Structure formats: structure tokens, C-alpha cells
Amino acid sequence: PYGSRGIARAGGLGPLTALDIARSFLQADGNRDGELSRAEATRLSILPLTFEEMDANHDDRLTRSEYEDAVR
């Protein structure tokens, strides 16, 4: 029941879907600017890595692409 990084959905209901990942990001993006600040990232329901590990270009902003890459 795990995704490619061994991450399972809450409740163990099977691997994460693209919709699960998108929903996690969108729910955390409080100001709807398409990026997550460090504070917004604390609201992610799926947190596979630390903020620093997910922020591939080290600009202190987490894009949806960076997040999706980290989850997969």
C-alpha cells in the first residue's frame, strides 16, 4: 500500500494518487500564489521530506513541481 517512496495515504488506504498530492499542496497554499512559504509548508498533509530537501532551487519557496518531485 505504499507509493514509490514508501509513502502511504492516511489510514493506509493505498498509494498516493496525483489528486492526493495536488490536494495536499492546494490546501497548504493559504494565499493561493502557487508557492508555499516555509510556514505554509507546515500545513502539508503529505510531508515526505524536510522543507529544505524539497526546495530544490533553495529559494525558500516550494513550488508545486518541487513538491510533486519530492513526493514521487
Side-chain angles (χ1 to χ4, degrees), residues 18-35:
L19 183 58
D20 295 326
I21 296 164
R23 191 174 288 143
S24 174
F25 186 91
L26 293 171
Q27 289 173 347
D29 187 10
N31 64 359
R32 301 289 185 243
D33 68 352
E35 298 180 329

Side-chain angles (χ1 to χ4, degrees), residues 5 7 48-50 53-55 62 64-72:
R5 287 191 170 254
I7 303 165
L49 302 168
T50 67
E53 291 170 322
M54 292 187 289
D55 182 17
L62 189 62
R64 187 164 163 183
S65 177
E66 288 173 318
Y67 180 62
E68 289 173 353
D69 288 348
V71 173
R72 296 199 185 280

